[in-house]
Amino acid sequence: MSRKQNRVDMNLAAGFGVAGVKRFPPIGSVFNTLKEKSKLSLETNMTSGVGLIEQLSKLIDSQDTAYTVENSKPKVKRKALTVRSALRQIKVEGQPLRVKQACELIRNTQHDRVPSVALARRRTDADGHMSLVLDLDAEQIEGSTYAWAVMTCRKLENIRDETRKLRHMQRMQFLPPLNNVKHGQMPKLDVYERAVVNSELAELDARWAADAGSQALQEKLIREMLALARGIDRRVRVNLEAFGSRLYGLSTSASDFDLAMSIRVPQRNAEVGFMRFVRHFVVRLQRTRGFQRVVWLQHARVPIVKFVYRTSHGEHECDVSFNHGLGMAKSRMIHTYMRSDPRVRQVLMVLKEWAITRAISNQNAMNSFGVMLMGLTYLAQERVVPPLQLLTTNAMNTRGWKNLAALQQSREQISALYLSEQSEPIRCVQSGEQLPDWRVEGKNAYFLAKSVGWQSPNKQTVPELLFGLFRFYGCEFEPENHAVSLRLGSARIARANLHELKVQMPEMVLGRPQMWRENLRLLAVEDPFEPQVNCARSAQGEWVEGLLWEMRRAAAVLRSGANEGRVLSALFVPPTPSIYCDASVWASVYGRLFPTLQQSVNEHVFDPERDMTPETIIPIEELEAAQIKNTN
């Protein structure tokens, strides 16, 4: 194997898994699964190999003598015969075979999970007793007249089962790229479909709103924790409140409790006093009944304590972060966006449900905050909401939108905006007034906090907005060139113009597959208050390609209209192993990565023009329609 090939991740892995990078398999797994399948190709040697093994199995089974197999554990006796003698009695596809050809066919048709007929060498001891040694290194028996065929299964029926498995394994199937949704339109919903959508949104709204019991439990938890904290040192000012989805009202009753504790210690040795206070607080939690499995992540970017809060109603996962003012500011800004237009909460609610049920949102790639930033940025781009960080008024007219568009396309204006903290003040794109400078943890966390009176010029319905969102990111968005910036109100910002965003340009890495795992970050989602932070910094190239394909799938689902009494709910069909269990099906999806990888290792196992045929494309719409029907 070449040095280039060694750089490829050679682990064969299934494409399906729980939320995480396994949801979209590593490209090395895709490459190697296809490579293994090519060895079992039905068009080349698969038919011949299986036919040879089936005939060999019958011949071996008819033998009277069994031989000891030395390197089996424990030693067993198996029937066997020489390959040469077997070839005198059988033909494959009407053609005779040489020993070397037969050995190669047997070797190529074998698979670790499907043992049937194995190759072996003869060994004779000093007393003339003969035994067989299974060849783990097949290269040693190339064409040898001492090559023996050993039946490793006791029953001939097992051989037939295994050859059927081999035939199934060699099938080449691929996910449809779904690029055709780029030119599609969301059909107008009829009266029935609009009623279905309203019912689905009402059902989702009820699920994504914590009930009174959950709210009461949160208040009880906050009271108990404040009592513990304020009993440590009366000179320290402590406050505790919910943030994240619990603050802006997009959580279920079963959602984790995300809390933020602000701690103000006397100015003298404040940092030392802060760490001492948190340490005492953690000890108190560990010693207090009801607080279990307390873990302090003190080296995280923001110090966090994770624990389980146990009550008579069950166990509840909880996180408390310390002096995380920016987290609170981000949550309040999202809440303001949601209050500005009722469609915002509905779109984000569907997006969050979709990301969870499709196993997309996760801490190993990009969490729900990053997904929601993508959703809000699209809504700002479509003028459903205004760019709150660039306004002092929500009465935005044509002049304001024109100024915003000029800002989004100008490298100089963006640079001036981001450097304005040291030079010129930031000004409102509508009125030209100077924007307030709200400092939180040293960052400007200003946003227009009032949402009353905003009138969106966009009159699209929620399904139309969702279709546009999925189609835009799945088909029009160019992750290698564009960045998602809620602050600037666009997902078409040139990545090169965001000079503070700490992310390597993809063109510097795309041509070097050995660097993808550590350095390739196809997706750039700017943090609204920390412009140097990429909220998709953990998302690897395969995850981004898979995410954009999932966006296209969602657009295709919405375009097809009502299905078994569902419109939006059809988005939430969970991914099943029957469709995604084979890593190789993703070769057609990894369009930005796979050709480069094949060129790098100089081995081509997938050619879309050759391999993508109507017979090899997975009929995903039919399969998911059947899945929906079975769940009704």
Side-chain angles (χ1 to χ4, degrees):
M1 183 179 293
S2 69
R3 294 176 66 183
K4 283 185 178 180
Q5 286 172 300
N6 276 325
R7 295 184 187 133
V8 182
D9 177 10
M10 301 306 285
N11 295 321
L12 294 177
F16 180 81
V18 296
V21 291
K22 284 187 178 180
R23 174 64 175 86
F24 309 118
I27 193 167
S29 300
V30 179
F31 178 87
N32 285 284
T33 305
L34 277 173
K35 188 176 179 180
E36 290 296 312
K37 282 178 176 289
S38 66
K39 290 181 180 179
L40 303 173
S41 174
L42 186 62
E43 289 75 24
T44 54
N45 60 15
M46 182 62 194
T47 302
S48 301
V50 171
L52 174 61
I53 285 180
E54 288 177 334
Q55 294 185 68
L56 274 175
S57 302
K58 294 177 183 178
L59 274 178
I60 296 171
D61 192 54
S62 66
Q63 302 300 304
D64 296 327
T65 308
Y67 302 90
T68 300
V69 179
E70 294 287 346
N71 54 344
S72 62
K73 294 182 181 180
K75 291 183 180 180
V76 294
K77 287 197 171 187
R78 289 282 186 266
K79 293 181 178 182
L81 80 166
T82 66
V83 175
R84 182 178 295 279
S85 63
L87 293 179
R88 297 193 188 106
Q89 305 175 59
I90 61 177
K91 291 183 178 181
V92 177
E93 296 182 354
Q95 300 295 323
L97 291 175
R98 296 192 301 273
V99 172
K100 183 174 181 178
Q101 291 176 311
C103 290
E104 186 175 352
L105 276 176
I106 295 171
R107 194 165 61 243
N108 289 342
T109 312
Q110 297 307 296
H111 191 278
D112 292 343
R113 293 175 294 177
V114 189
S116 49
V117 173
L119 294 169
R121 290 179 289 118
R122 184 181 64 184
R123 174 183 292 173
T124 306
D125 61 19
D127 297 326
H129 297 126
M130 193 191 95
S131 60
L132 296 174
V133 180
L134 292 178
D135 258 296
L136 303 178
D137 183 3
E139 298 297 327
Q140 296 181 12
I141 59 170
E142 287 274 356
S144 169
T145 56
Y146 297 100
W148 285 63
V150 180
M151 192 167 173
T152 56
C153 293
R154 291 184 179 276
K155 297 182 179 180
L156 192 61
E157 291 76 12
N158 292 356
I159 301 291
R160 297 192 182 100
D161 291 340
E162 289 155 8
T163 53
R164 280 196 294 270
K165 292 178 185 177
L166 282 169
R167 285 195 174 95
H168 175 75
M169 286 168 54
Q170 62 82 39
R171 290 173 59 195
M172 294 284 189
Q173 285 192 303
F174 305 98
L175 292 170
L178 300 176
N179 295 320
N180 60 339
V181 299
K182 181 178 182 179
H183 307 292
Q185 295 293 330
M186 177 74 186
K188 292 292 183 182
L189 300 181
D190 58 27
V191 175
Y192 166 73
E193 290 173 323
R194 288 198 296 271
V196 169
V197 168
N198 291 335
S199 174
E200 290 172 321
L201 288 174
E203 183 181 338
L204 280 174
D205 188 65
R207 184 157 66 248
W208 284 104
D211 59 24
S214 179
Q215 295 284 3
L217 183 63
Q218 176 178 290
E219 293 171 5
K220 177 176 180 290
L221 172 63
I222 289 176
R223 287 196 303 270
E224 290 184 20
M225 293 181 66
L226 278 176
L228 289 174
R230 289 170 177 168
I232 296 173
D233 188 340
R234 295 185 180 277
R235 297 172 300 170
V236 178
R237 296 180 61 184
V238 181
N239 190 35
L240 182 66
E241 55 187 318
F243 82 106
S245 60
R246 288 275 179 176
L247 187 150
Y248 50 76
L250 202 57
S251 63
T252 68
S253 298
S255 295
D256 297 352
F257 291 106
D258 293 323
L259 307 173
M261 179 178 287
S262 60
I263 303 169
R264 288 189 181 182
V265 299
Q267 290 297 317
R268 187 178 179 182
N269 295 325
E271 187 173 346
V272 174
F274 168 77
M275 294 302 291
R276 184 185 297 117
F277 183 91
V278 175
R279 189 178 297 110
H280 284 304
F281 177 71
V282 171
V283 171
R284 284 200 165 202
L285 278 182
Q286 292 170 333
R287 294 176 178 175
T288 303
R289 184 177 180 181
F291 296 90
Q292 301 180 345
R293 300 196 287 277
V294 180
V295 178
W296 180 17
L297 305 178
Q298 56 182 312
H299 299 299
R301 197 165 70 95
V302 176
I304 295 175
V305 171
K306 291 179 171 290
F307 61 93
V308 172
Y309 184 52
R310 187 168 186 177
T311 67
S312 58
H313 301 288
E315 295 185 346
H316 312 274
E317 298 284 341
C318 305
D319 294 348
V320 56
S321 56
F322 300 93
N323 288 351
H324 191 22
L326 282 175
M328 291 297 302
K330 294 169 190 176
S331 300
R332 291 187 180 116
M333 185 175 70
I334 291 176
H335 191 205
T336 304
Y337 272 119
M338 291 174 61
R339 288 185 302 170
S340 65
D341 190 297
R343 293 172 295 174
V344 176
R345 185 179 191 277
Q346 294 174 324
V347 168
L348 295 183
M349 179 174 63
V350 173
L351 195 61
K352 192 169 184 178
E353 179 82 6
W354 166 80
I356 291 173
T357 56
R358 294 297 294 179
I360 293 169
S361 176
N362 65 91
Q363 299 294 333
N364 294 326
M366 188 171 71
N367 58 21
S368 61
F369 176 66
V371 175
M372 293 186 72
L373 284 179
M374 294 179 72
L376 280 171
T377 303
Y378 175 79
L379 294 177
Q381 182 175 285
E382 297 300 309
R383 303 185 181 184
V384 177
V385 293
L388 295 179
Q389 292 175 267
L390 299 175
L391 293 172
T392 57
T393 174
N394 55 20
M396 199 167 175
N397 58 25
T398 304
R399 181 179 65 181
W401 292 116
K402 185 177 179 181
N403 291 339
L404 178 62
L407 167 63
Q408 293 167 347
Q409 297 170 19
S410 171
R411 182 184 182 92
E412 291 74 20
Q413 289 190 52
I414 291 175
S415 297
L417 174 69
Y418 281 77
L419 294 173
S420 60
E421 298 169 0
Q422 293 81 28
S423 54
E424 295 295 323
I426 305 175
R427 298 194 176 276
C428 172
V429 293
Q430 174 63 37
S431 66
E433 298 176 6
Q434 181 176 336
L435 297 177
D437 190 356
W438 294 354
R439 290 286 150 174
V440 178
E441 299 177 24
K443 304 293 183 182
N444 186 355
Y446 169 77
F447 64 92
L448 180 63
K450 59 180 181 180
S451 57
V452 179
W454 163 252
Q455 296 293 326
S456 170
N458 186 314
K459 303 305 179 184
Q460 289 181 299
T461 64
V462 170
E464 288 170 338
L465 288 172
L466 285 166
F467 176 78
L469 185 153
F470 288 130
R471 183 179 62 177
F472 168 75
Y473 282 115
C475 301
E476 300 175 26
F477 179 65
E478 300 174 7
E480 65 271 34
N481 298 319
H482 295 154
V484 178
S485 174
L486 178 59
R487 183 184 191 186
L488 297 174
S490 175
R492 293 191 177 98
I493 304 299
R495 287 175 67 142
N497 291 350
L498 297 178
H499 65 278
E500 287 194 28
L501 189 62
K502 294 182 179 178
V503 58
Q504 196 164 12
M505 295 301 291
E507 63 262 24
M508 301 175 65
V509 186
L510 273 172
R512 307 176 189 178
Q514 68 273 18
M515 297 176 62
W516 288 353
R517 188 66 54 195
E518 297 295 329
N519 301 103
L520 179 61
R521 293 300 176 261
L522 270 177
L523 185 59
V525 180
E526 181 192 51
D527 187 288
F529 295 144
E530 299 175 272
Q532 76 279 8
V533 174
N534 177 16
C535 294
R537 59 189 174 276
S538 300
Q540 294 170 349
E542 298 95 327
W543 187 89
V544 176
E545 294 274 53
L547 169 68
L548 301 186
W549 181 84
E550 282 284 350
M551 296 276 195
R552 295 193 293 275
R553 172 210 163 260
V557 168
L558 289 174
R559 187 180 60 180
S560 63
N563 187 343
E564 295 290 332
R566 300 186 183 191
V567 178
L568 299 180
S569 302
L571 294 171
F572 313 139
V573 176
T576 58
S578 62
I579 299 175
Y580 302 99
C581 64
D582 190 335
S584 65
V585 303
W586 293 94
S588 56
V589 174
Y590 294 170
R592 292 176 180 85
L593 304 177
F594 215 81
T596 303
L597 175 66
Q598 294 189 126
Q599 185 176 0
S600 176
V601 299
N602 196 26
E603 192 167 355
H604 297 268
V605 296
F606 175 68
D607 181 349
E609 294 185 2
R610 178 195 67 201
D611 299 325
M612 295 287 289
T613 65
E615 292 75 24
T616 62
I617 296 177
I618 298 172
I620 191 158
E621 292 186 9
E622 295 178 17
L623 294 173
E624 290 190 343
Q627 191 175 341
I628 291 173
K629 188 174 182 178
N630 292 334
T631 57
N632 282 349

